[in-house]
Amino acid sequence: MKQSRLSARSRVQGARYGKTAVLRASEKYKDVRDLVYQRIKNLKLELESSPHLATWGTGKPNEALEDYRISVIRSYKAGQRDGPKAKMPFESLRKAYIDGGPPALDVQLKTNLYGRILASKFTDADIMNQSQLADLRYPAEWFPSTRQLRRIVHLHVGPTNSGKTYHALKKLEEANSGVYAGPLRLLAHEVYTKLNAKGKQCNLVTGDDRRIAENGKAEMYSCTVEMVPVNTPMDVAVIDEIQMLGSIERGWAWTQALLGVKAKEVHLCGEVRVVPLIRELVASTGDKLEIHYYERLSPLKTMTSSLGGDLKKLRKGDCVVVFSRLGIHAMKKEIEKATGKRVAVVYGSLPPETRAQQAKLFNDPDNDYDILVASDAIGMGLNLSIKRIIFESSQKMDEKGYGTLAVSQIKQIAGRAGRYRTTEQRDAEVGSDKMTKGVTDPAKNVLAPLPPAKNLGLVTTLEHSDLPIIQQAMESEAAPLRTAGIFPPPAIIQRFASYFPPQTPFSYVLLRLYELTRWNPRFHLCQQKEQMHIADLIQPMKLTIADRITFCAAPAPLRKPGFPDIVKKFAQCVADQAGGDLLGIEEFNLVILDDDRTPDKERLEQLEILHKSLVLYLWLSYRFAGVFKSRPLATHVKELVEEKIEQGLAHAALDRSRRDRMREKRERSLIHTLKKDGLVRGDGEGLALPLTWEAPRHGHIQLPDAQASTNEATLSTG
């Protein structure tokens, strides 16, 4: 059990290497042996350059490493002679390498070494206490004051564009106190703006931004879900996109909000597939559960033809979904050039005011902003009057490479087509004859649909090759969620760390905690990708355990050039309790703001690193206010950087060769997925598209002809 958990953590540590795991498994033992020996040498150099470890444990970490190196060599030779065995030191390192690449191998090396050093340091009582602290089977007990309430939990489930979040937010508007918790800052900002516009004083609380009512008396909060004030008594809580508690990285935040929010009424909004899991979780808290099912308010249909790559087929009300910022702006320019129409853009990292303006331009039927180019952020419930969703691709790039969108992602994005009404339209109809409130049928507990919408929502793709993937996803049902994410609370981590010598590397404390952790089958342990790396980076600084826990939770993209130095500088500022003035931190590349030229690709990357550095500074300023005192200046500089980035992106374009390379990579990923799922026959050599596809329900089907036209294309013109 311990080995399997460690392997899972190894896979997270080496996520960006995950696509080549099969190739790593086929590597010769000799080659893996040479890599292991080299990483042991690297670890020796790291120990020699880390004076803070000199007095830790045995006081002789290099001797312990030499003993460990000898045991690895012996186990390798024994495996060659007698056959490999899973418990051999070399085999554990090889497995970690296969699961997660070199980063996971490094993690396993440190874990094994530190474990050897500390093996004799713990008494039986210490080990028993550690095991008790690592028992995470009953997370509902982490919130004793909330357990004293008997809350009413309302679960609103249904497809996109069914009004479930709208009805939950109406309950929040009617309350005297409450909180909205959403997955994105822009959604929190949208609710914050709406509540204040209706005369309900509301605070905005996200990781790097807090806007508190001037009189300090607001009893409403709009938050990103990680920031929910779980110990604050309130009337109503609305937790949006509750199915995200199944996320391997962020799921813990939804679970924490559900189990911990101290509200008389808790309204959860999400997909139907979450119902069985929520039943179990609410049963574990002793609260009352009421489930409300919703039906879609407007029809949705998947087209039988794509656009065939022809941007001239775009019509008013179309939204092209693209999965990168550079791609979004490049697509905007291509569409404007091909159609002569004006194009609005919406994506998650746009400043909220800019995003609201772009959405308003697109929603207004009387101007010439006919087309929208957006990221998958639109799937999270933004108010946009979209008639047709067009996927630029069914493949999305992540740390592992290109991968096919999940069924739930496709359906959530596609469901934004044919929106019944925007918030503004609903608000305008309140009190008029047009407004019909939904009524829950007690017999079925299904909310009766509002009057049928006039517009049909349509879904298609830009290229032929992606259409079968989208079609199949739209006909499929996403699998029910089986587990909810959990993560050890800071109090548990702090108590657990108290059992270790003062100079014990904090990364090992975390790894040891994860290794001992037990959890109920209805939960999974969330992983924070950069946590171990951050822990090692800041190990030399004289920080408290609480400070280390805070830094390990910080938004720090360490793969960005220069970012590790920025994290170390911030940690040193906290250790010194000084030096946190923005202008005094040399690691900030503020000089780039004096460059008046339109940012090219290289300067765009530098600006993005500066932007992420400023976000981290602001995030830390709310947790170490006495150190990072330049919050107003940092906010202003962040806005200047955003303007520069927007200027650069607006002039960005993907040259033909780069676009062809990106398309080829997506198609290779697509073919791999289709072959694996049995949707395509033939080897797809040379990417000769269109291919012949196999669909389980329809037998063999041919990709649509490039010149095909249907009545659906006419319907999409509105």
Side-chain angles (χ1 to χ4, degrees):
M1 185 66 174
K2 292 179 181 177
Q3 182 63 43
S4 64
R5 289 173 182 167
L6 194 55
S7 297
R9 290 191 289 279
S10 297
R11 286 193 291 274
V12 174
Q13 291 295 321
R16 60 184 180 276
Y17 296 87
K19 284 293 182 180
T20 57
V22 175
L23 294 176
R24 288 196 297 271
S26 66
E27 288 185 27
K28 295 179 180 178
Y29 265 66
K30 180 179 179 298
D31 294 336
V32 178
R33 179 203 65 184
D34 292 343
L35 176 64
V36 168
Y37 290 177
Q38 182 58 53
R39 305 309 272 205
I40 291 176
K41 289 181 181 179
N42 293 347
L43 181 54
K44 181 179 180 180
L45 292 174
E46 182 180 334
L47 292 175
E48 290 173 348
S49 62
S50 304
H52 61 281
L53 290 178
T55 59
W56 170 68
T58 63
K60 300 177 181 179
N62 266 321
E63 289 185 11
L65 179 59
E66 179 60 20
D67 290 342
Y68 178 58
R69 186 184 72 83
I70 293 172
S71 73
V72 171
I73 293 173
R74 287 174 176 169
S75 71
Y76 168 76
K77 291 179 178 178
Q80 293 293 292
R81 183 181 64 248
D82 305 325
K85 297 179 181 179
K87 292 185 179 181
M88 289 181 172
F90 179 79
E91 280 304 307
S92 72
L93 297 174
R94 179 175 175 270
K95 179 166 177 46
Y97 169 67
I98 291 172
D99 285 343
L105 172 57
D106 291 339
V107 169
Q108 187 73 55
L109 273 170
K110 289 182 179 180
T111 301
N112 294 353
L113 172 63
Y114 297 158
R116 289 172 71 91
I117 293 174
L118 288 172
S120 62
K121 295 292 180 181
F122 298 126
T123 66
D124 291 342
D126 288 336
I127 294 174
M128 183 180 70
N129 289 332
Q130 290 175 18
S131 298
Q132 288 176 347
L133 283 171
D135 187 350
L136 306 183
R137 289 177 295 172
Y138 310 105
E141 296 178 0
W142 299 346
F143 310 98
S145 62
T146 304
R147 296 289 75 79
Q148 294 176 13
L149 300 175
R150 188 165 190 268
R151 306 175 300 173
I152 300 177
V153 178
H154 295 270
L155 177 58
H156 305 264
V157 292
T160 53
N161 201 6
S162 59
K164 55 186 182 293
T165 306
Y166 170 76
H167 284 89
L169 286 174
K170 292 299 288 184
K171 293 294 184 182
L172 181 61
E173 291 174 16
E174 295 167 2
N176 293 320
S177 61
V179 63
Y180 167 82
L184 301 174
R185 179 180 180 273
L186 58 87
L187 286 177
H189 189 277
E190 189 173 272
V191 173
Y192 160 79
T193 302
K194 178 181 177 181
L195 288 174
N196 279 298
K198 292 187 176 235
K200 305 283 291 189
Q201 280 196 324
C202 181
N203 300 321
L204 175 69
V205 182
T206 69
D208 61 348
D209 189 12
R210 298 183 189 180
R211 304 184 189 183
I212 308 301
E214 292 182 3
N215 61 10
K217 296 182 179 180
E219 294 190 68
M220 287 284 182
Y221 296 86
S222 187
C223 310
T224 44
V225 71
E226 288 86 352
M227 303 302 296
V228 171
V230 291
N231 292 318
T232 302
M234 61 185 69
D235 296 329
V236 172
V238 175
I239 305 174
D240 207 357
E241 305 295 348
I242 188 62
Q243 71 277 357
M244 288 191 71
L245 53 70
S247 167
I248 191 63
E249 291 173 5
R250 294 182 68 198
W252 65 270
W254 274 264
T255 306
Q256 172 182 273
L258 168 58
L259 299 179
V261 70
K262 203 172 179 180
K264 298 173 184 175
E265 286 187 21
V266 181
H267 292 261
L268 312 175
C269 305
E271 301 171 11
V272 174
R273 65 192 179 112
V274 81
V275 170
L277 182 57
I278 295 298
R279 285 188 195 274
E280 291 186 35
L281 294 176
V282 174
S284 74
T285 65
D287 296 318
K288 179 182 178 182
L289 176 64
E290 294 184 9
I291 303 175
H292 309 278
Y293 294 89
Y294 294 74
E295 298 176 356
R296 187 176 167 86
L297 299 175
S298 59
L300 182 66
K301 187 173 183 180
T302 308
M303 296 176 64
T304 58
S305 66
S306 71
L307 298 193
D310 187 358
L311 297 177
K312 292 181 181 179
K313 293 182 179 180
L314 291 171
R315 301 291 184 265
K316 185 176 180 66
D318 281 350
C319 172
V320 182
V321 179
V322 182
F323 298 114
S324 75
R325 279 202 294 173
L326 179 60
I328 286 170
H329 285 272
M331 180 63 70
K332 174 181 183 291
K333 291 182 70 174
E334 287 191 31
I335 292 172
E336 289 177 337
K337 181 178 179 181
T339 66
K341 300 177 184 295
R342 304 194 71 177
V343 178
V345 295
V346 167
Y347 51 87
S349 58
L350 268 181
E353 294 78 13
T354 305
R355 185 205 59 77
Q357 180 192 36
Q358 291 288 303
K360 186 174 182 181
L361 288 171
F362 176 72
N363 287 338
D364 187 348
D366 299 323
N367 66 24
D368 54 354
Y369 281 84
D370 293 346
I371 297 167
L372 177 69
V373 179
S375 72
D376 49 346
I378 62 166
M380 294 293 184
L382 298 178
N383 287 299
L384 296 163
S385 299
I386 298 168
K387 296 181 180 178
R388 180 170 63 169
I389 288 284
I390 298 137
F391 287 86
E392 184 214 17
S393 174
S394 63
Q395 310 295 299
K396 181 179 179 179
M397 172 71 83
D398 60 17
E399 293 173 342
K400 301 178 184 178
Y402 281 105
T404 302
L405 295 169
V407 169
S408 58
Q409 291 174 305
I410 290 172
K411 297 186 81 167
Q412 190 171 45
I413 295 169
R416 296 303 161 190
R419 187 169 182 84
Y420 180 67
R421 283 190 300 244
T422 64
T423 298
E424 290 77 9
Q425 291 168 330
R426 278 177 172 148
D427 293 343
E429 292 175 6
V430 172
S432 72
D433 293 337
K434 296 180 181 179
M435 187 66 183
T436 303
K437 294 184 178 180
V439 179
T440 301
D441 179 351
K444 297 182 179 179
N445 215 27
V446 176
L447 195 79
L450 295 169
K454 297 178 181 178
N455 58 312
L456 167 68
L458 295 171
V459 183
T460 189
T461 60
L462 182 61
E463 304 290 348
H464 305 312
S465 54
D466 294 296
L467 188 58
I469 290 285
I470 303 301
Q471 288 174 327
Q472 189 204 31
M474 295 300 291
E475 294 176 2
S476 304
E477 292 296 331
L481 286 178
R482 302 297 183 190
T483 60
I486 55 172
F487 195 77
I492 288 180
I493 299 175
Q494 201 157 358
R495 288 178 60 196
F496 189 84
S498 68
Y499 287 100
F500 293 78
Q503 295 298 322
T504 304
F506 190 59
S507 60
Y508 177 71
V509 174
L510 294 175
L511 285 167
R512 178 67 176 165
L513 174 58
Y514 298 160
E515 187 178 19
L516 293 176
T517 293
R518 291 181 292 164
W519 58 86
N520 187 289
R522 72 168 64 98
F523 299 107
H524 65 263
L525 187 63
C526 286
Q527 306 295 336
Q528 297 190 4
K529 294 179 294 185
E530 307 286 6
Q531 194 178 61
M532 302 304 172
H533 194 174
I534 294 174
D536 284 336
L537 277 175
I538 65 174
Q539 185 61 41
M541 288 70 176
K542 294 182 179 180
L543 299 170
T544 66
I545 294 299
D547 292 343
R548 295 185 189 279
I549 292 170
T550 299
F551 267 92
C552 285
L558 297 180
R559 287 179 298 278
K560 296 290 184 182
F563 222 90
D565 292 333
I566 291 169
V567 172
K568 288 192 287 187
K569 176 62 178 179
F570 288 165
Q572 192 61 59
C573 290
V574 173
D576 297 340
Q577 288 295 294
D581 291 333
L582 181 70
L583 298 180
I585 299 176
E586 296 180 357
E587 283 75 7
F588 279 121
N589 182 20
L590 299 177
V591 178
I592 195 171
L593 294 175
D594 296 328
D595 191 337
D596 294 330
R597 293 173 295 172
T598 299
D600 57 14
K601 180 184 176 183
E602 181 180 348
R603 285 194 293 276
L604 267 176
E605 291 177 352
Q606 293 174 357
L607 285 166
E608 290 189 351
I609 292 171
L610 176 56
H611 186 268
K612 292 181 184 298
S613 303
L614 290 164
V615 168
L616 177 57
Y617 183 96
L618 289 168
W619 190 92
L620 291 170
S621 75
Y622 288 107
R623 290 146 180 91
F624 303 102
V627 176
F628 303 104
K629 303 176 182 178
S630 306
R631 189 185 304 152
L633 177 60
T635 301
H636 175 65
V637 175
K638 176 170 162 283
E639 292 170 353
L640 294 178
V641 173
E642 288 167 349
E643 290 176 7
K644 282 275 188 181
I645 291 174
E646 286 304 307
Q647 179 187 2
L649 290 174
H651 290 84
L654 290 175
D655 60 75
R656 174 66 63 180
S657 61
R658 185 177 177 189
R659 180 173 288 279
D660 288 345
R661 288 196 302 271
M662 290 174 63
R663 180 177 177 182
E664 182 177 340
K665 287 180 180 178
R666 289 200 301 260
E667 289 178 346
R668 287 190 185 280
S669 173
L670 177 62
I671 290 172
H672 174 77
T673 299
L674 292 168
K675 288 173 69 177
K676 181 179 68 174
D677 294 343
L679 285 171
V680 60
R681 55 183 168 83
D683 56 14
E685 285 297 323
L687 298 174
L689 297 173
L691 299 169
T692 302
W693 309 86
E694 296 177 6
R697 301 183 191 176
H698 306 295
H700 297 283
I701 58 173
Q702 196 74 23
L703 277 174
D705 181 19
Q707 302 301 318
S709 62
T710 66
N711 290 334
E712 294 159 316
T714 306
L715 286 171
S716 71
T717 63

